[in-house]
Amino acid sequence: MTEESGAPSSGPSKRNVLNLDLLIGQKATAQTSIGTVYLTDQVAMVSQVADIAREDANTMAQVANNPRDVAMNGNIKGTVQAAVVRAMLSHQVQAEHLLKQDQQALVPFTALIYEVLKAGKKIDLSEFGG
């Protein structure tokens, strides 16, 4: 990705990060037809969908090797749609498992969340070789 000056950068440009504000309505929460969506959840979803999309080598090649307008007309639309579905189903399955199917699993899950909160960290998949 490039900054507005055209110089390459290693991450999203400030302009693109600010566009996230437009996406989420510039609020800590957004009202939808099914309820409130919190800013942290929105950021987490964008990050998860991007992580899933990175798994598609063809999409990544198109993004890396083409201008934005060309890449946006390639595989990315389908890749993002599939990633959104995967993220939604994954969270639904895991939540149902914890809350309905195996409530005993909620005890170690809660302990894990405690440890993450206590350490003041986020789980980084790269620490697990992922």
Side-chain angles (χ1 to χ4, degrees), residues 11 18 20 27 45 47 50 52 55 69 71 89 92 97-98 107 113-114 116 122:
L18 294 177
L20 181 60
K27 298 179 183 178
M45 178 155 178
S47 181
I52 294 168
E55 295 173 4
D69 59 327
L89 293 175
Q92 180 181 351
H97 181 80
L98 286 170
V107 173
I113 299 302
Y114 169 83
V116 170
K122 293 185 178 188

Side-chain angles (χ1 to χ4, degrees), residues 74-88:
N75 292 358
I76 195 166
K77 292 177 187 177
T79 299
V80 168
Q81 288 175 345
V84 168
V85 170
R86 178 174 150 191
M88 176 188 65

Side-chain angles (χ1 to χ4, degrees), residues 22-68:
L22 298 174
L23 175 70
I24 60 177
Q26 299 180 351
K27 298 179 183 178
T29 63
Q31 295 298 320
T32 69
S33 61
I34 59 170
T36 303
V37 179
Y38 294 91
L39 174 62
T40 54
D41 297 340
Q42 294 170 8
V43 170
M45 178 155 178
V46 169
S47 181
Q48 182 180 17
V49 169
D51 286 344
I52 294 168
R54 282 185 191 97
E55 295 173 4
D56 187 300
N58 290 331
T59 297
M60 290 306 297
Q62 289 175 359
V63 168
N65 298 317
N66 292 291
R68 184 181 194 278

Side-chain angles (χ1 to χ4, degrees), residues 94-110:
Q94 292 175 69
E96 285 179 2
H97 181 80
L98 286 170
L99 298 174
K100 293 180 181 178
Q101 298 168 2
D102 187 6
Q103 292 181 343
Q104 290 179 336
L106 195 55
V107 173
F109 183 78
T110 302

